[in-house]
Amino acid sequence: MTDPPRVTVAGSLSEVEPARWASLATGWPVELSHAWLRAEEGRTAAAQWYLLAWRPDGRLLGALAAYLFDGPITHTAYPVQSVLRGTSQDLDPALHPSLVCVAPGSYRPGLLSDRTLDAESTTRVREALLTAFEEHARGLGCAAISVMHVSGGDTGLAGLLAGRGYAKALVSADAVLRVPAGSFPDYLATLPPDRRRKVRRERRTFLDSGVTVHAGGAELLTESLAPLLVDHYRRYGHPADERGVLDRFHRVRRQGELRVFLARAGDEIAGFSAFFTDGADRLVGRLYAARSAGAFEYFNLVYYEPITAAARDGIRAIHYGSESFDAKVFRGCTLRPLYGHFGSVAGDAGTLSRMAYERCVAERTRLRDFVPHLAE
């Protein structure tokens, strides 16, 4: 490919044929699938657009998902202001409004290109999409833009963004558990002795409690689970109501193939967990909840039941996302550092760069006990 691709804009993935997107997304994680992104529309942002890079013969070569945050900040995970400055409602004109490239509900950037392209062609596609992204943000009157959750291993994209003047900051990490082949004892053998003893005790207490576990798919994610998830969110300080949780269930059922673990203690629902399958070797955690007093239902449903099933079925990795790193690392997860790349459109570039640096320093301090090389 010698010429830059033609870039068009769609306001919804309903405007893009699923088969065309599926061809583009071959080899990419489930979080960048047509079903995943389509189901997320309208949940987190005021509006979304998909910038689409085309070859003259009509082949889709790449895409960038962009989300606008232009009013009061109610969803804090993605707007540039809340990422760099916190949840203050005092809107900063150097940071807000913002246009964000991300795959919502995941820890992936919302940027993909045809895996069959060579390195030079991939760069051309990415450059065209980023140029269109920046121009779109300028047309919307945004102060800032960002490309979120870029893996430290994606040096090609990171280098491209640095060359365009984006400021880089460590913003979080994705906890990933590598599952050994075999059975639960094979997983236990990977843990240090002190952790192994505690995990074995939690597992034994659960198995001896009489709680029964049903494993299945989306059919187990029913409305009867909503009150438990509302209680779980509120217990950890997150605003939640049953209507919002039911909307979440509806979207999750549409996003991909689910594996659900549902625990009952007699007639009482003791807890549940829901994971997406990604091919034959990866699970992606999505929803978890358990009663507050019980037989370690939460740890068993979130970790030990899925690990047992994964080891048996040949699944090699379970992605648990961000936060609660102590519990995740204790049970064998390693952390995949994630970076945000921030650009100024009509705001103060110096202020944005300073805030990105400060966020990076703070996040390094928070994560350095789990990822030692970040302290260097």
Side-chain angles (χ1 to χ4, degrees), residues 48-241:
Q48 71 284 314
W49 293 271
Y50 303 92
L51 310 178
L52 308 169
W54 302 90
R55 204 167 66 177
D57 64 1
R59 176 182 167 190
L60 186 57
L61 298 174
L64 186 152
Y67 300 83
L68 175 66
F69 299 91
D70 66 345
I73 296 175
T74 56
H75 191 286
T76 60
Y78 307 127
V80 170
Q81 168 153 336
S82 58
V83 173
L84 295 185
R85 189 177 161 186
T87 57
S88 170
Q89 294 303 304
D90 180 17
L91 300 179
D92 188 331
L95 307 174
H96 193 81
S98 59
L99 191 66
V100 179
C101 170
V102 71
S106 82
Y107 297 92
R108 304 279 176 180
L111 178 62
L112 64 162
S113 55
D114 191 318
R115 291 286 201 188
T116 65
L117 296 176
D118 60 31
E120 183 179 351
S121 296
T122 297
T123 297
R124 284 181 179 273
V125 168
R126 286 175 161 181
E127 288 273 19
L129 289 169
L130 289 169
T131 296
F133 174 57
E134 293 155 8
E135 291 174 350
H136 197 68
R138 192 171 294 109
L140 292 169
C142 291
I145 52 179
S146 69
V147 179
M148 287 293 291
H149 299 155
V150 177
S151 168
D154 194 346
T155 56
L157 179 56
L160 196 60
L161 293 166
R164 300 178 75 91
Y166 287 67
K168 176 182 176 182
L170 179 69
V171 294
S172 192
D174 179 22
V176 182
L177 193 144
R178 302 297 174 186
V179 183
S183 61
F184 191 75
D186 295 297
Y187 155 70
L188 281 176
T190 67
L191 302 176
D194 58 333
R195 299 187 199 175
R196 192 183 312 147
R197 283 190 293 270
K198 183 173 181 180
V199 168
R200 186 183 287 118
R201 178 172 65 86
E202 291 171 348
R203 185 64 171 154
R204 185 182 300 118
T205 300
F206 178 77
L207 294 175
D208 292 345
S209 70
V211 172
T212 57
V213 177
H214 305 271
E219 75 280 356
L220 295 181
L221 195 65
T222 64
E223 292 185 4
S224 63
L225 304 182
L228 194 65
L229 189 57
V230 170
D231 178 68
H232 178 81
Y233 283 150
R234 290 176 176 172
R235 200 185 315 151
Y236 290 95
H238 303 296
D241 58 52

Side-chain angles (χ1 to χ4, degrees), residues 274-293:
F275 297 77
F276 286 102
T277 63
D278 188 10
D281 61 358
R282 181 173 175 259
L283 292 179
V284 181
R286 193 58 166 150
L287 300 171
Y288 327 109
R291 60 186 182 179
S292 57

Side-chain angles (χ1 to χ4, degrees), residues 244-263:
V245 164
L246 290 175
D247 176 71
R248 192 78 178 272
F249 283 3
H250 175 68
R251 293 174 186 273
V252 164
R253 291 190 202 100
R254 294 162 48 205
Q255 280 184 296
E257 183 180 350
L258 283 172
R259 293 188 73 164
V260 178
F261 301 87
L262 174 64

